[in-house]
């Protein structure tokens, strides 16, 4: 079968190659891949900055945002041939740490977790993959076109789960006004979840084009691309930072409403130093009970929340998040930056 592989640490090593097709194996599920989404992490791996292959293997099969169809599954299990599924990216560390032992591998304490297509586990950008059913999440059949958004949606479902847990520190808390910085797939999915919670939504992005603005306004949110200062001055009680850009982060952590919860969900790349007044930040945080926290990955429960959120979302809106679909043979074109790109997907049926 064809698979997109990379040699971690080596820039430009992405190659489409023939690899052995996984065979049916008792207790495991064989899945035919329908689509794989491409994100910033894949770019980082392809540029040689991130990722690790299985010990002793030169190549890593790329891809962690999956959508597939069950070909073969253990009898009497939940999954049946034809079911639409998504693979869970992270697996618990082998120790396991306290968090992994509870199925909360997204909170792994010792860093020895593995991740499909990223860290020491082959990914999903291959025509077939085989999985333990516990690491597959079944989707509503209506998500055949948009279900590839489940993994990024699971990341924001986890972010929202933690925002709400933190919010419980005050008995009267509920999220009312939300500011999302960055209108990429993560930001837009975080926005969808904000609206599903009936929050007033504001989205900041530098992009002047029409696509993102329209997607935000269809969620009845307000799109801000003029001034981050003005967006922060709106006094959101929840800020979800999805750009990973140093100046944006610096601004949102230092200019938020009293008691605000700021979730950093975007990942920065490289290094970017900026001068920062930590004494002022200290006063802001302490005197206003602000919270800044980071959120990454997702556990099985978050995937299920994501699958439910996507199933109840407007299908046409979701489909517009997928701005381009490219065939596997043209995988490298998925990495190009087109002006109105939001989520680019490798479509295995093309
Ligand atoms: C993935 C996460 C993963 C993280 C760090 C992100 O792109 O969506 O599942 O934990 O990268 O490897």
């Amino acid at each position: 079968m064809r698979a997109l592989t990379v040699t971690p640490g080596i820039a430009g090593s992405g190659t489409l190659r023939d690899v052995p097709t996984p065979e049916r194996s008792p207790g495991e599920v064989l899945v035919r891949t329908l689509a794989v989404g491409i994100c910033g992490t894949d770019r980082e791996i392809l540029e040689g900055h991130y990722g690790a292959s299985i010990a002793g293997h030169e190549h890593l099969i790329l891809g962690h945002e999956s959508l597939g169809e069950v070909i073969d599954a253990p009898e009497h299990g939940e999954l049946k041939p034809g079911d639409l599924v998504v693979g869970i990216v992270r697996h618990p560390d082998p120790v396991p740490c306290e968090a992994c032992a509870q199925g909360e591998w997204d909170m792994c304490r010792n860093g020895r977790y593995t991740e499909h297509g990223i860290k020491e586990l082959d990914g999903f950008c291959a025509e077939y993959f085989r999985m333990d059913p516990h690491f597959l999440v079944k989707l509503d059949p209506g998500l055949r076109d948009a279900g590839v958004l489940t993994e990024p949606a699971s990341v924001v479902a986890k972010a929202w789960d933690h925002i709400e847990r933190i919010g419980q520190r005050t008995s009267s808390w509920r999220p009312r006004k939300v500011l999302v910085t960055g209108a990429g797939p993560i930001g837009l999915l975080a926005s969808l979840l904000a609206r599903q919670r009936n929050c007033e939504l504001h989205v900041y992005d530098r992009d002047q084009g029409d696509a993102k603005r329209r997607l935000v306004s269809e969620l009845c949110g307000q799109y801000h691309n003029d001034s981050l200062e003005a967006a922060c001055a709106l006094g959101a009680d929840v800020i979800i930072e999805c750009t990973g850009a140093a100046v944006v982060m610096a601004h949102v952590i230092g200019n938020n409403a009293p008691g605000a919860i700021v979730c950093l969900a975007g990942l920065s790349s490289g290094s970017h130093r900026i001068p920062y007044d930590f004494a002022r930040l200290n006063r802001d945080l302490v005197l206003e009970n602000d919270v800044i926290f980071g959120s990454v990955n997702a556990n099985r429960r978050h995937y299920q929340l994501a699958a439910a959120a996507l199933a109840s979302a407007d299908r046409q809106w979701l489909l517009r998040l997928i701005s381009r679909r490219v065939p596997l043979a043209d995988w490298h074109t998925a990495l190009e930056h087109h002006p109105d790109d939001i989520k680019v997907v490798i479509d295995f049926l093309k």
Side-chain angles (χ1 to χ4, degrees), residues 64-78:
H64 60 278
E65 299 183 2
S66 63
L67 175 69
E69 180 180 52
V70 173
I71 298 290
D72 185 53
E75 261 181 66
H76 314 303
E78 186 217 355

Side-chain angles (χ1 to χ4, degrees), residues 10-323:
I10 305 209
S13 59
T15 313
L16 197 58
R17 66 176 76 238
D18 266 319
V19 301
T21 304
E23 286 170 9
R24 289 176 157 84
S25 154
E28 292 204 301
V29 179
L30 186 63
V31 179
R32 180 169 72 110
T33 308
L34 299 175
V36 167
I38 296 295
C39 81
T41 301
D42 300 304
R43 288 176 194 278
E44 291 252 300
I45 298 171
L46 286 162
E47 286 163 11
H49 303 309
Y50 195 57
S53 41
I54 304 168
H57 289 222
E58 186 185 350
H59 308 299
L60 172 78
I61 299 180
L62 200 69
H64 60 278
E65 299 183 2
S66 63
L67 175 69
E69 180 180 52
V70 173
I71 298 290
D72 185 53
E75 261 181 66
H76 314 303
E78 186 217 355
L79 296 173
K80 303 275 173 276
D83 282 348
L84 211 54
V85 287
V86 166
I88 292 180
V89 173
R90 193 177 282 193
H91 287 233
D93 74 73
V95 176
C97 72
E98 287 161 32
C100 286
Q102 302 297 323
E104 294 184 325
W105 48 73
D106 56 313
M107 299 297 289
C108 180
R109 301 286 296 277
N110 61 21
R112 290 181 58 196
Y113 61 81
T114 51
E115 289 183 338
H116 284 287
I118 302 176
K119 183 175 181 277
E120 298 158 31
L121 276 183
D122 275 333
F124 305 118
C125 205
E127 288 173 295
Y128 295 89
F129 61 89
R130 202 176 59 199
M131 292 282 272
D132 174 335
H134 188 61
F135 289 94
L136 287 170
V137 175
K138 185 171 159 179
L139 298 187
D140 182 304
L143 284 172
R144 201 173 170 88
D145 290 333
V148 69
L149 297 170
T150 307
E151 195 277 342
S154 75
V155 166
V156 297
K158 183 229 173 129
W160 266 108
D161 175 33
H162 284 213
I163 289 165
E164 286 167 340
R165 284 165 190 258
I166 294 166
Q168 299 314 314
R169 68 192 171 145
T170 315
S171 48
S172 59
W173 186 87
R174 70 176 182 82
R176 291 183 171 84
K177 197 186 279 189
V178 175
L179 169 64
V180 174
T181 50
I186 293 287
L188 288 167
L189 289 166
S191 301
L192 170 71
L193 268 59
R195 291 296 298 130
Q196 289 183 339
R197 286 160 172 77
N198 284 321
C199 298
E200 176 183 323
L201 171 69
H202 296 270
V203 179
Y204 170 81
D205 194 292
R206 286 182 313 186
D207 192 276
Q208 305 281 337
D210 219 34
K212 293 179 174 178
R213 177 184 297 279
R214 235 182 98 199
L215 284 160
V216 172
S217 78
E218 283 170 15
L219 288 176
C220 300
Q222 211 177 320
Y223 188 74
H224 304 260
N225 65 357
D226 37 6
S227 145
L228 178 56
E229 287 74 5
C232 285
L234 294 164
D237 42 45
V238 172
I239 301 182
I240 309 182
E241 203 303 296
C242 303
T243 68
V247 280
V248 179
M249 276 188 291
H251 205 83
V252 298
I253 65 177
N255 297 277
N256 48 56
I261 300 175
V262 181
C263 170
L264 301 182
L267 268 172
S268 310
S269 58
S271 97
H272 187 177
R273 290 162 201 261
I274 50 173
Y276 203 78
D277 183 345
F278 275 93
R280 206 201 111 194
L281 178 66
N282 166 279
R283 289 192 295 277
D284 280 354
L285 291 180
V286 175
L287 294 174
E288 296 184 348
N289 291 296
D290 297 343
V291 177
I292 302 166
F293 79 102
S295 180
V296 71
N297 199 257
N299 64 43
R300 187 173 174 84
R301 191 170 52 82
H302 301 127
Y303 277 80
Q304 286 164 338
L305 290 170
L310 294 185
S312 63
D314 180 279
R315 208 53 46 87
Q316 291 314 312
W317 186 88
L318 285 181
L319 288 178
R320 288 217 316 286
L321 292 192
I322 304 175
S323 44

